[in-house]
Amino acid sequence: MPIQIIKNAILAAAAVVGLNLLGGCKSGQPLTLARDGKTEYVIVVADDASGVDKYAAAELSRYLKQIAGADYPVVEPKDMDPAKPCIFIGLSSPALKILGKDPMAVFKDQDNAARKIGKNIFLYGKGLHGNLYAVMDFLENSLAWRWFSVFEYPLLPEKTTVTIEPFNRKQSFSFRYCLQDLQRSIDYGYQMGANLYFDQKFRGKTDLPREKRAFVSAFHEVEHGAGNHHTFFSFIPPSPDNRFVAYFDWQKKKDYFTTNPDYYSMNADGKRAPRQLCFGNPDLRAEFTKQAMRLIEVEGDDITVCVCALDTPDMFCHCPSCKVLMDKHQSPGGPLYDYLIELCGILQEKHPKAHVYTIAYRRSQTEIPPKLPEGGKLPSNLIVNFAPIEDCLFADWTHPDENNQETYRHLKEWANILGEGNLMSLYYGPYGAAMYLPIGDIDRLVTNMRLMHAAGARGIQMDQDMHSRSAFSELRNYLFYKLRKDVNADIGAIIREFTGYMYGPAAELIRTYLNELEAARKEMISKGLPMGVSFHAPLEQKNFLYLTPENIHRWQGYFDKMAVLAAKGPDRCRVNVELARRSLDIATLWKWFELTKKYPEIYRDHQVFVERISAAEKNTPLPMAAWEQERASRPEGFAEIRRKWMPLGDSVVSDLATIIKGGGQVKPLPQELAGLDQSRVKRFVPANRFSVVGKDYPPVGDRVVLDPDAAFGFAATTYLPPQHPGQKLPFTFGYRQERKSPSITRSIKLDEITPGVYRLYKLGEVIVTPAAMIWMPEWSCSTILEIGQRLYEPGAENRWEAYLSLKFDGPTYGGPAKEDRVLVDQVIMVRKSDDQFKAK
Ligand SMILES: [Zn+2]
């Protein structure tokens, strides 16, 4: 390439990444921010600095003290010593005196600048968080601050003399809005660039007015928290026991379904049910608007009113008026769109500062945008977050799969009819088995975020599990924030830096592992996408074809080497390698019988792998450093703690271990269920977890017994206390949605028992919730299956029919055994609801 063209290409790249030099020139003397642990510098904020600006100043001062050991006091202009050099945060009057009249004349919201002029430093930006972003840019790009993971310490160079090269930067972000899970840290997300959900997080926890608060959302979104974006019933609660009722304090009426059943969905059978709202009903629309006005009255009109459907599938309403509106807008979301257009119109007139926010979610509801006349636009005060939950998680939008292509087309169509900057989009990280098995989807994240931006999305959200520190969840999180700022960032460089810190001497090998996972995934989908996989992938052979014995074995070899290498680095490298290895060890247990066949000398004892997973979980989280604890003194007044992560694939590990114990045999389904479509059937073995018994009780005995009659070659025992013979017969088992909620139970009498053989007992239909469990028997509840952890799908109907397979023996049950005992070899679940995530 000729030199001139290279130069142009570099310039073009600089313009694209949004990080460019301001008009002034960059030359000049380096600046000494501290010498031998001392500094002259003070941090200057404006007299009327906002809570966010004060937070930015306090954090800068805190970090600088850690770097140089010196104190950097934060002062207002009136307390400045004119002889001392300053770090100006925001445009205070003395800063403007040097910078000139309007240094942000061409800035867009959140654009920010970091500049050195003479001995002074200027950090300023436009809008609510502009100054904070300038401070973070200064920390990151002039002082090498990094914060790779919420589970790690912020990384700071420590040197008593701090000299920095001249700088003059302006930064624009690719995405204006950035929404991320904040459950594990407020500071991490805020400093990395998240700017939504903070209002929500601090709701009811501070009396400070919005402008005085450190943690504020980019738009005022008090109402997002109702069920995580699902707000219909916060406005119109069907009954006082509905979980959304408590959300709005001002809400007095709580029984709309009793007084106005026609406000709610008409089901296919013509009956009204409190499932969603019926926006074909003009009375409901009037009532909803009245409620929205009350919200604005209470919260002020600088607000974004969230109007979002409940997280339950299927068409909103089957009534004739709703059907008319579906036809009118050529989308199942028609009734809601029609109302949103009306509400937005009213607000534009009465409260021009207010916005309306909704989600484009599920094909059968709101993913498909309304068809407007050529060139038509939706109201400019409508913000839409596009949440493509039906996409196969193995493929990005460059894959020719029809379903994925249709999704991306919908996103582009939304962009065409929304006001500039009003479209957000969500990236779903892996869920289901992909959370705990090895998967390389980093490339998918990067590609789809770039395509979202190209389509016109200017807000971004990621939904993934961060709690178990699965192999690449922290990298995914870090890259998400980097791409939020600059969608064209150098991904290779970021991954090298991230893995270098997290894995130290093992970094190169973990990158090889990641690259091979990516390549294996791409090869798998080059032949088509696995059916029935959406944002989550069930643990089924057809879904992870790249987890072959050869690959698993080769990758285990990498981890053997990584373990040796990481031991030479800081201890965090050892911990991070151990945590990353868990998913490969789970895959090893899953493919155990194939591995033992192929490499009989190596895969001899599965317990080694079970124990290695458990040893990795025993590592403890890093404590917060003392200087991090100082954050407790801020106005919002809390110090964060680094909480322990959740074990990865906990119940799956024990399930796989028991299957291995059973020798890998699988008997066909019991006769009664033999004719069923096998894809609707899931089989599990519960576990006897009974541990605490009074001193008068006999010991618990074996928890698992090998039994050639059992479906998988082994069965779980149950604890039958001899002191409570009444609990043995009838034998009662049950299902409950949560620990304290009532159970659906089934009692087995003697005439239903054939001693010494497994018989099937039907419990009936259940709705599986995240914490749902099947328990047996009454009194001891010794033996349980956490069915929610295994089956629950967020947002799905989750209707299943439950069966238990039990074998009774001993005197009470008329069997020859000396002692009474009841074994359970399987719980069989049969899916009753259609899978709404399945591709058409
Ligand atoms: Zn209706």
Side-chain angles (χ1 to χ4, degrees):
M1 198 188 272
I3 286 170
Q4 189 54 41
I5 295 176
I6 294 172
K7 209 169 151 194
N8 286 342
I10 293 169
L11 285 174
V16 172
V17 302
L19 189 71
N20 49 47
L21 303 178
L22 285 169
C25 83
K26 194 180 145 176
S27 66
Q29 295 301 311
L31 177 152
T32 303
L33 208 52
R35 192 181 298 282
D36 302 328
K38 294 194 180 66
T39 189
E40 297 231 290
Y41 276 86
V42 293
I43 297 170
V44 182
V45 295
D47 295 315
D48 58 349
S50 69
V52 178
D53 295 350
K54 286 180 180 164
Y55 171 80
E59 288 297 305
L60 179 61
S61 172
R62 205 185 316 280
Y63 283 130
L64 283 173
K65 179 160 188 181
Q66 282 315 301
I67 294 171
D71 285 317
Y72 293 78
V74 178
V75 301
E76 290 181 0
K78 63 177 163 31
D79 303 318
M80 269 172 67
D81 176 348
K84 282 190 175 173
C86 296
I87 304 173
F88 291 100
I89 297 181
L91 298 176
S92 54
S93 47
L96 280 173
K97 225 176 256 171
I98 303 170
L99 289 170
K101 210 174 122 219
D102 193 0
M104 296 199 291
V106 295
F107 281 30
K108 294 192 301 290
D109 183 47
Q110 297 179 22
D111 285 2
N112 58 85
R115 306 172 67 182
K116 167 196 175 288
I117 301 176
K119 280 187 134 188
N120 296 315
I121 294 169
F122 297 85
L123 308 172
Y124 56 89
K126 194 154 182 164
L128 201 52
H129 299 108
N131 296 336
L132 170 65
Y133 295 145
V135 167
M136 296 320 299
D137 170 74
F138 174 62
L139 278 164
E140 187 166 354
N141 292 313
S142 290
L143 294 166
W145 169 95
R146 297 287 185 276
W147 199 351
F148 290 109
S149 163
V150 66
F151 294 96
E152 300 279 344
Y153 293 117
L155 174 66
L156 296 160
E158 280 178 43
K159 42 189 179 185
T160 50
T161 295
V162 182
T163 311
I164 42 184
E165 288 304 310
F167 56 96
N168 195 359
R169 292 185 294 268
K170 187 199 164 201
Q171 191 175 214
S172 297
F173 295 148
S174 297
F175 295 98
R176 189 176 306 167
Y177 302 124
C178 177
L179 178 55
Q180 240 298 26
D181 179 74
L182 301 172
Q183 284 183 64
R184 288 197 167 258
S185 170
I186 302 291
D187 289 294
Y188 176 78
Y190 211 34
Q191 293 180 22
M192 290 299 290
N195 63 9
L196 291 180
Y197 211 64
F198 291 92
D199 292 349
Q200 203 43 65
K201 194 82 190 164
F202 283 90
R203 188 174 163 81
K205 294 194 182 119
T206 173
D207 295 331
L208 294 171
R210 247 180 138 249
E211 66 276 12
K212 295 276 181 212
R213 278 156 43 191
F215 301 101
V216 196
S217 297
F219 55 71
H220 187 188
E221 27 100 295
V222 292
E223 66 284 58
H224 274 190
N228 194 12
H229 290 240
H230 306 286
T231 58
F232 277 2
F233 288 180
S234 302
F235 289 96
I236 311 286
S239 59
D241 62 352
N242 188 276
R243 71 188 177 103
F244 298 106
V245 161
Y247 200 69
F248 293 140
D249 318 333
W250 47 263
Q251 181 72 263
K252 295 284 179 282
K253 184 165 167 52
K254 295 166 181 160
D255 60 346
Y256 281 101
F257 189 64
T258 312
T259 57
N260 304 78
D262 57 343
Y263 282 9
Y264 297 87
S265 309
M266 181 181 282
N267 286 339
D269 59 6
K271 290 202 185 78
R272 297 280 175 177
R275 205 165 50 75
Q276 301 279 2
L277 295 175
C278 170
F279 285 99
N281 180 344
D283 291 346
L284 176 270
R285 290 163 75 136
E287 189 67 16
F288 203 107
T289 301
K290 209 169 87 191
Q291 296 287 64
M293 293 301 176
R294 291 183 68 186
L295 176 72
I296 290 170
E297 213 172 278
V298 174
E299 298 283 351
D301 63 357
D302 184 9
I303 191 177
T304 302
V305 182
C306 177
V307 185
C308 299
L310 276 291
D311 196 5
T312 49
D314 296 338
M315 206 165 104
F316 287 153
C317 183
H318 290 262
C319 87
S321 325
C322 282
K323 282 196 174 147
V324 169
L325 296 173
M326 283 179 215
D327 291 344
K328 178 180 165 190
H329 296 282
Q330 292 173 58
S331 164
L336 178 61
Y337 304 150
D338 206 69
Y339 171 64
L340 291 176
I341 292 166
E342 177 186 310
L343 178 65
C344 285
I346 295 169
L347 290 182
Q348 273 172 338
E349 208 169 282
K350 293 191 175 162
H351 300 287
K353 278 199 265 178
H355 285 76
V356 174
Y357 170 100
T358 196
I359 44 176
Y361 180 64
R362 299 176 186 281
R363 294 252 205 310
S364 62
Q365 293 179 348
T366 51
E367 187 187 299
I368 302 167
K371 293 273 178 304
L372 303 180
E374 187 61 33
K377 293 270 183 192
L378 287 166
S380 59
N381 53 348
L382 179 65
I383 297 169
V384 172
N385 192 354
F386 186 81
I389 197 163
E390 284 154 34
D391 275 9
C392 175
L393 70 86
F394 288 115
D396 63 43
W397 286 328
T398 61
H399 192 277
D401 174 71
E402 223 174 90
N403 182 64
N404 275 25
Q405 286 303 313
E406 188 180 324
T407 307
Y408 189 50
R409 200 162 57 240
H410 290 154
L411 178 72
K412 288 192 279 193
E413 285 167 12
W414 274 111
N416 285 339
I417 56 171
L418 282 166
E420 198 279 323
N422 287 5
L423 176 63
M424 295 182 63
S425 187
L426 193 157
Y427 180 79
Y428 282 99
Y431 273 101
M435 265 161 66
Y436 51 79
L437 287 177
I439 179 171
D441 78 321
I442 297 301
D443 194 55
R444 176 179 185 253
L445 166 77
V446 174
T447 304
N448 273 11
M449 274 183 76
R450 286 178 174 161
L451 286 172
M452 286 169 186
H453 188 263
R458 292 297 175 264
I460 195 77
Q461 178 182 1
M462 180 155 69
D463 186 348
Q464 70 153 345
D465 171 65
M466 274 291 291
H467 297 298
S468 53
R469 298 191 76 178
S470 64
F472 297 111
S473 59
E474 289 159 89
L475 173 60
R476 211 176 280 124
N477 209 43
Y478 189 71
L479 277 172
F480 168 81
Y481 284 124
K482 289 291 194 179
L483 290 160
R484 178 263 159 147
K485 289 182 183 162
D486 174 10
V487 82
N488 293 306
D490 180 348
I491 299 304
I494 296 170
I495 293 178
R496 276 193 298 281
E497 197 183 42
F498 177 91
T499 49
Y501 176 82
M502 298 289 278
Y503 304 98
E508 199 179 329
L509 209 43
I510 204 147
R511 289 196 295 270
T512 306
Y513 173 55
L514 173 61
N515 289 339
E516 290 187 18
L517 279 171
E518 296 271 19
R521 171 182 65 82
K522 286 179 193 167
E523 205 221 315
M524 176 178 88
I525 61 170
S526 69
K527 295 157 195 144
L529 296 183
M531 282 298 290
V533 172
S534 60
F535 77 111
H536 70 307
L539 185 65
E540 283 172 17
Q541 303 295 341
K542 68 178 177 63
N543 292 342
F544 297 89
L545 298 175
Y546 55 88
L547 294 177
T548 59
E550 293 80 6
N551 280 344
I552 291 173
H553 180 62
R554 188 176 66 259
W555 293 330
Q556 284 289 7
Y558 293 177
F559 272 98
D560 285 341
K561 282 185 196 147
M562 279 192 257
V564 175
L565 290 168
K568 295 175 190 153
D571 196 47
R572 66 164 180 277
C573 304
R574 173 192 63 81
V575 174
N576 290 333
V577 166
E578 286 180 8
L579 292 174
R581 191 172 197 167
R582 290 170 302 167
S583 54
L584 185 62
D585 282 342
I586 294 174
T588 304
L589 294 172
W590 185 36
K591 302 286 178 159
W592 185 255
F593 298 110
E594 288 173 56
L595 281 159
T596 51
K597 212 171 184 183
K598 183 122 194 152
Y599 310 100
E601 293 306 308
I602 296 160
Y603 298 89
R604 296 161 70 142
D605 181 6
H606 75 278
Q607 203 55 33
V608 171
F609 297 84
V610 173
E611 277 160 21
R612 189 159 65 203
I613 295 166
S614 147
E617 304 295 9
K618 287 198 179 89
N619 287 303
T620 47
L622 298 168
M624 295 300 246
W627 64 271
E628 288 184 281
Q629 294 293 345
E630 285 167 18
R631 290 186 174 124
S633 62
R634 56 194 166 191
E636 269 88 344
F638 70 94
E640 295 194 305
I641 44 164
R642 243 169 234 124
R643 282 176 293 131
K644 175 77 180 169
W645 56 89
M646 315 270 276
L648 184 71
D650 199 14
S651 54
V652 178
V653 174
S654 71
D655 287 358
L656 295 172
T658 35
I659 288 170
I660 294 167
K661 273 183 215 148
Q665 63 156 301
V666 181
K667 290 200 164 55
L669 280 172
Q671 197 102 56
E672 299 94 308
L673 305 177
L676 282 177
D677 171 4
Q678 299 279 317
S679 71
R680 302 183 83 91
V681 177
K682 299 275 178 196
R683 304 162 79 180
F684 306 94
V685 186
N688 184 345
R689 303 271 175 88
F690 206 57
S691 55
V692 185
V693 288
K695 61 179 166 40
D696 302 332
Y697 294 87
V700 178
D702 291 338
R703 289 161 197 284
V704 184
V705 290
L706 292 177
D707 179 0
D709 295 342
F712 304 102
F714 67 95
T717 60
T718 56
Y719 186 73
L720 304 162
Q723 284 79 350
H724 296 277
Q727 301 290 342
K728 292 185 188 176
L729 197 68
F731 180 93
T732 302
F733 65 91
Y735 168 89
R736 65 185 168 207
Q737 293 200 335
E738 286 170 47
R739 202 156 270 284
K740 283 182 180 159
S741 63
S743 290
I744 301 167
T745 59
R746 164 97 155 82
S747 291
I748 302 166
K749 298 200 195 86
L750 196 57
D751 61 357
E752 293 175 278
I753 292 169
T754 311
V757 297
Y758 285 100
R759 274 186 66 174
L760 197 63
Y761 300 93
K762 182 176 172 179
L763 179 63
E765 191 174 303
V766 297
I767 306 278
V768 174
T769 54
M773 61 167 66
I774 286 171
W775 54 261
M776 72 211 75
E778 205 145 50
W779 189 83
S780 76
C781 289
S782 63
T783 309
I784 52 173
L785 176 71
E786 285 121 342
I787 192 71
Q789 288 180 19
R790 290 158 171 85
L791 269 191
Y792 173 74
E793 295 174 25
E797 260 193 338
N798 292 297
R799 280 193 300 120
W800 295 79
E801 200 160 67
Y803 297 84
L804 253 73
S805 167
L806 299 166
K807 180 160 94 174
F808 295 84
D809 207 344
T812 304
Y813 305 111
K818 258 195 213 148
E819 282 182 21
D820 289 326
R821 72 172 185 179
V822 182
L823 299 178
V824 50
D825 74 330
Q826 59 179 329
V827 168
I828 303 174
M829 303 292 286
V830 181
R831 183 157 55 78
K832 300 306 281 182
S833 43
D834 282 327
D835 185 354
Q836 73 277 15
F837 299 124
K838 212 155 98 186
K840 271 191 280 187

